[in-house]
């Protein structure tokens, strides 16, 4: 739309639709404060100067900031509907998101992606949906759908997408495997997101030849500096499990700061309620010593430029009037949120209503759990003396591959003495007999079992337990719920949360979901688990692109060597 008709407003010859007076305008280009009026017309920022408006708001010294941008997230991790998620994050200042729906896509393919598109586009924010690159994440896993290059080409022809979702199969990229390069070629004219944990040197060079622009898996300053030196944007991530801000801050300086931006990736309901969203990362960066306007810059114009989002991320003539009124730069309370110059949230409360309940509910999404009839025997460890085990690393989703030798006269019930539990993945889409079985050290469960239909990224049912009976009961309860998280003990279901939308998402308000998760965590704590995020940690144990060893419905997978390995060594 042309801005020609608001030229008289810019020149001061006509009144603006809306003028903010006595505010402190954040200039994210110069990292300065401007003390002038800010004028808005037709949903666009006209400029700052001495303006009068049809409506004038006296900010009484409060700050005006561009609205925040989340450069990379998975909506499914919030475990609530997109509408419920929006009602939480919009009042916190996030008006632009770039979402990769590869969780629901691995369950329901194109049906899941198009369902998200319909929901997201009906809300008052800038909703940018990626086409997932990893459905499945690798050819070695078994999920509910396959999106090859031809299907991706069809999707982008029929719908509007922002880019190609995080390219997790970095080994496939580096080795030139056709199935992933075909997708890269189809999406070469779009933004391509990355996933490059610990990639350095020649391997990183090869990865970047694919046209990949950014990475949210960077965890050290040294790694960040190398990626920036090669033209890669670094998304500083603060999720629920993986939190990288503190370790990456030393890498950010005046010369390279434009190559850093913020992302949440995976945030659980309780963290969204208790901590926040992008606003939490900004506040944390300020607390750790970053200049407040620079921190806001990473959350706004840096993200917009990295992603190619023109007319977003700044308060400047011709930019969208997506802006925030903030009380001060210490508490950073978001007092008002404006989308295209219209007030959509105030004092932490959303001011918009939607009619999303009337949308069709596809069978593929709302009836996605179909398992084979189970017997206790499938969860019993085979005979042997030496076993490969997955060993958790503190506060990380990477695991180490170790060898455990059974003592003489060992009983299966004695695994807990060594902080070892059984872990299994049950295929849940085609009622197949694919059930992978392994052992995991460091989770801490001393009794019972935990099962979940959230198991990145194929989202088969993952179950961890001390005995076969509780594991079987937990998995069967997941099917009865059509998705969820279940805790069992002594042959009974102790508690659960239902996730009937693709086995990933609740239909309840975020406050209820958060409370149920808190109760479940309290229960597993009482059963010996001391992990900060037990359910999300469990979910990542099934992701065969995170080193060193993971469990799939086809068995144990050696990530470093790209092959399945046996549980029993001898």
């Amino acid at each position: 739309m042309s801005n020609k008709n608001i030229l008289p407003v810019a020149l001061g010859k006509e009144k603006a639709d809306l003028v903010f007076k006595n505010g402190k305008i954040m200039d994210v280009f110069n990292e300065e404060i401007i003390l002038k009026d800010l004028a808005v017309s037709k949903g666009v920022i006209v400029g700052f100067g001495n303006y009068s408006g049809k409506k004038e708001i006296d900010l009484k010294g409060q700050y005006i900031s561009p609205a925040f941008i989340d450069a990379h997230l998975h909506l499914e991790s919030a475990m609530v509907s997109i509408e419920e998620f929006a009602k939480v994050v919009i009042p916190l200042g996030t008006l632009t998101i770039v979402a990769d729906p590869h969780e629901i896509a691995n369950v329901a393919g194109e049906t899941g992606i198009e369902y998200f598109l319909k929901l997201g586009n009906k809300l008052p924010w800038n909703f940018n949906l990626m086409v997932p690159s990893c459905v499945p994440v690798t050819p070695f896993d078994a999920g509910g759908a396959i999106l090859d290059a031809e299907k991706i080409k069809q999707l982008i022809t029929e719908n509007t997408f922002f880019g190609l979702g995080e390219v997790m199969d970095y080994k496939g990229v580096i080795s030139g495997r056709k199935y992933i390069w075909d997708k890269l070629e189809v999406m070469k004219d779009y933004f391509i997101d990355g996933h490059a944990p610990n990639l350095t040197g020649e391997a990183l060079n090869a990865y970047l030849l694919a046209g990949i622009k950014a990475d949210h898996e960077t965890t050290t300053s040294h790694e960040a500096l190398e990626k920036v030196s090669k033209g890669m944007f670094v998304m500083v991530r603060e999720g629920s499990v993986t939190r990288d801000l503190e370790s990456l801050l030393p890498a950010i300086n005046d010369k390279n700061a434009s190559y850093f931006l913020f992302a949440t990736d995976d945030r659980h309901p309780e963290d969204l309620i208790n901590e926040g969203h992008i606003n939490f990362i900004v506040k944390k960066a300020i607390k750790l010593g970053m200049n407040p306007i620079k921190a806001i810059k990473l959350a706004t114009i840096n993200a917009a430029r990295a992603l190619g989002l023109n007319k977003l991320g700044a308060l400047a003539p011709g930019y969208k009037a997506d802006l925030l009124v903030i009380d001060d730069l210490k508490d950073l309370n978001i007092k008002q949120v404006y989308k295209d110059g219209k007030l959509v949230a105030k004092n932490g409360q959303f001011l918009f209503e939607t009619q999303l309940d009337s949308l069709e509910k596809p069978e593929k999404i709302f009836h996605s759990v179909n398992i084979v009839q189970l017997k206790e025997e499938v969860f019993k460890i085979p005979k042997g003396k030496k076993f490969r085990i997955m060993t958790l690393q503190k506060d990380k989703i990477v695991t180490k591959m170790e060898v455990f030798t059974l003592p003489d006269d060992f009983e299966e019930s004695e695994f807990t003495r060594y902080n070892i539990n059984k872990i299994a993945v049950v295929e849940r889409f085609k009622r197949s007999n694919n059930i992978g079985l392994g052992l995991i050290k460091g989770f801490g469960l001393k009794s019972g079992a935990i099962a979940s239909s959230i198991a990145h990224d194929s989202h088969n049912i993952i179950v961890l337990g001390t005995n076969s009976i509780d594991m079987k009961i937990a998995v069967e309860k997941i099917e009865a719920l059509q998705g969820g998280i279940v805790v069992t003990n002594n042959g009974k279901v102790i508690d659960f949360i239902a996730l009937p939308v693709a086995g990933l998402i609740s239909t309840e308000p975020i406050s209820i979901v958060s409370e149920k998760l808190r109760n479940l965590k309290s229960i597993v704590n009482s059963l010996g688990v001391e992990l900060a995020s037990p359910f999300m940690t469990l979910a990542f144990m099934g992701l065969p692109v995170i080193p060193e060893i993971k469990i799939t419905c086809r068995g144990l997978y050696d990530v470093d060597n790209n092959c399945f390995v046996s549980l029993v060594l001898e």
Side-chain angles (χ1 to χ4, degrees):
M1 185 175 119
S2 172
N3 291 328
K4 184 178 178 181
N5 61 342
I6 57 175
L7 287 175
V9 179
L11 294 169
K13 295 178 179 180
E14 292 181 5
K15 285 188 175 184
D17 293 339
L18 177 64
V19 173
F20 295 93
K21 289 185 170 290
N22 300 315
K24 298 173 182 176
I25 301 168
M26 293 190 190
D27 174 3
V28 292
F29 301 112
N30 293 305
E31 296 182 26
E32 294 178 348
I33 297 295
I34 297 172
L35 301 176
K36 291 185 178 180
D37 302 333
L38 183 72
V40 173
S41 279
K42 308 296 184 185
V44 172
I45 294 171
V46 175
F48 37 81
N50 296 312
Y51 286 105
S52 59
K54 299 171 186 174
K55 179 178 181 181
E56 296 182 351
I57 298 175
D58 185 353
L59 294 181
K60 299 178 181 179
Q62 295 182 105
Y63 292 85
I64 315 175
S65 165
F68 300 144
I69 299 171
D70 190 341
H72 170 83
L73 80 158
H74 303 287
L75 289 158
E76 302 92 327
S77 296
M79 300 169 69
V80 292
S81 70
I82 294 181
E83 179 183 16
E84 188 72 10
F85 177 80
K87 287 178 178 180
V88 174
V89 304
I90 289 175
L92 297 176
T94 302
L95 277 183
T96 300
I97 67 167
V98 180
D100 183 345
H102 70 221
E103 316 295 1
I104 197 167
N106 269 291
V107 173
E110 306 100 303
T111 304
I113 297 169
E114 290 169 351
Y115 181 71
F116 267 21
L117 265 179
K118 289 177 183 177
L119 294 171
N121 284 330
K122 290 181 178 291
L123 294 161
W125 59 3
N126 304 306
F127 184 70
N128 302 287
L129 199 66
M130 309 289 271
V131 177
S133 71
C134 50
V135 180
V137 62
T138 75
F140 312 109
D141 209 352
I146 295 175
L147 289 183
D148 57 17
E150 285 303 311
K151 283 189 178 179
I152 288 176
K153 188 184 295 185
Q154 181 182 342
L155 272 170
I156 62 174
T157 300
E158 297 173 353
N159 301 280
T160 301
F161 292 96
F162 182 73
L164 185 65
E166 59 177 307
V167 183
M168 300 178 72
D169 189 5
Y170 56 89
K171 294 202 171 184
V173 174
I174 291 167
S175 59
R177 291 176 187 158
K178 186 177 186 302
Y179 64 85
I180 188 65
W181 273 89
D182 284 350
K183 298 176 186 180
L184 291 164
E185 289 296 325
V186 168
M187 299 297 292
K188 65 183 179 181
D189 295 326
Y190 290 76
F191 178 83
I192 302 178
D193 200 1
H195 174 109
N198 302 318
L199 272 191
T200 61
E202 288 80 5
L204 179 59
N205 296 342
Y207 188 70
L208 292 176
L209 287 177
I212 294 162
K213 303 295 185 185
D215 177 58
H216 59 274
E217 294 288 345
T218 305
T219 57
T220 68
S221 290
H222 179 77
E223 186 181 352
L225 289 170
E226 181 181 358
K227 285 174 177 172
V228 169
S229 76
K230 294 177 178 179
M232 200 175 202
F233 292 98
V234 173
M235 297 177 179
V236 181
R237 172 179 57 186
E238 280 286 303
S240 285
V241 174
T242 310
R243 299 173 182 246
D244 303 315
L245 176 62
E246 193 164 357
S247 63
L248 294 181
L249 271 182
I252 305 173
N253 57 55
D254 288 339
K255 293 180 180 179
N256 66 15
S258 61
Y259 276 83
F260 290 87
L261 54 150
F262 291 144
T264 62
D265 197 10
D266 297 294
R267 293 223 107 202
H268 265 192
E270 194 165 2
D271 292 326
L272 286 169
I273 291 174
N274 295 335
E275 294 180 342
H277 195 235
I278 294 295
N279 66 314
F280 167 73
I281 310 179
V282 174
K283 284 194 286 187
K284 185 173 179 178
I286 295 170
K287 188 176 181 180
L288 290 170
M290 181 176 279
N291 176 282
I293 302 182
K294 187 179 288 294
I296 288 171
K297 185 173 183 173
L298 266 68
T300 57
I301 193 62
N302 280 16
R305 285 180 166 175
L307 297 164
L309 293 168
N310 296 325
K311 305 306 179 184
L312 285 177
L315 304 177
Y319 279 65
K320 276 191 174 187
D322 292 359
L323 53 87
L324 315 176
V325 175
I326 300 173
D327 57 356
D328 59 60
L329 297 184
K330 180 183 176 183
D331 297 325
L332 208 77
N333 292 314
I334 313 296
K335 308 303 288 185
Q336 297 174 27
V337 181
Y338 291 83
K339 175 74 184 83
D340 297 326
K342 295 179 180 179
L343 185 66
V344 293
K346 185 176 181 179
N347 296 325
Q349 300 297 315
F350 62 88
L351 301 176
F352 55 91
E353 293 295 336
T354 59
Q355 300 284 327
L356 301 185
D357 287 340
S358 61
L359 287 177
E360 181 186 355
K361 297 182 178 180
E363 177 81 1
K364 200 169 185 179
I365 294 173
F366 287 84
H367 196 277
S368 64
V369 182
N370 302 283
I371 64 170
V372 71
Q373 187 171 355
L374 296 174
K375 297 181 180 179
E376 290 175 26
E377 288 72 22
V378 300
F379 300 114
K380 289 189 175 179
I381 300 298
K383 291 182 179 180
K385 185 66 176 176
K386 292 185 178 181
F387 294 83
R388 287 185 175 88
I389 62 171
M390 306 162 57
T391 301
L392 283 174
Q393 307 300 294
K394 182 175 173 57
D395 298 327
K396 296 183 183 295
I397 57 176
V398 298
T399 53
K400 294 291 184 183
M401 187 189 305
E402 296 183 0
V403 175
F404 178 73
T405 303
L406 266 59
D408 294 335
D409 301 320
F410 183 84
E411 297 290 335
E412 193 173 275
S413 60
E414 296 180 84
F415 274 123
T416 54
R417 288 175 51 193
Y418 302 90
N419 196 12
I420 295 174
N421 296 129
K422 297 192 286 185
I423 188 168
V425 174
V426 178
E427 191 277 326
R428 66 125 152 165
F429 300 104
K430 301 174 182 176
R431 297 187 190 276
S432 75
N433 288 311
N434 288 335
I435 301 174
L437 184 62
L439 294 168
I440 185 167
K441 182 178 180 180
F443 205 91
L445 189 68
K446 294 178 180 178
S447 181
I450 306 165
S452 175
S453 54
I454 303 173
H456 299 294
D457 279 323
S458 295
H459 299 296
N460 290 300
I461 299 174
I462 191 163
V463 57
L464 178 146
T466 62
N467 66 87
S468 300
I469 294 174
D470 282 324
M471 292 173 76
K472 175 178 179 290
I473 292 171
V475 173
E476 289 175 337
K477 181 63 175 179
I478 294 283
E479 183 180 37
L481 294 170
Q482 279 303 297
I485 300 171
V486 175
V487 179
T488 57
N489 195 27
N490 296 323
K492 295 180 181 179
V493 174
I494 304 302
D495 203 358
F496 63 87
I497 180 171
L499 302 172
V501 184
L504 305 171
I505 296 167
S506 171
T507 55
E508 296 186 286
I510 194 168
S511 58
I512 292 176
V513 174
S514 178
E515 182 182 356
K516 288 186 176 182
L517 286 170
R518 190 162 51 248
N519 290 340
L520 281 171
K521 184 180 177 183
S522 178
I523 291 168
V524 300
N525 287 160
S526 72
L527 297 176
V529 179
E530 298 179 355
L531 300 175
S533 299
F535 307 121
M536 191 172 277
T537 300
L538 179 60
F540 277 106
M541 294 304 100
L543 184 55
V545 292
I546 302 292
E548 293 179 343
I549 183 171
K550 290 294 184 284
I551 180 80
T552 78
C553 67
R554 294 175 178 171
L556 288 173
Y557 190 74
D558 181 337
V559 179
D560 292 339
N561 294 302
N562 296 314
C563 63
F564 286 99
V565 293
S566 63
L567 173 60
V568 180
L569 281 168
E570 62 176 64

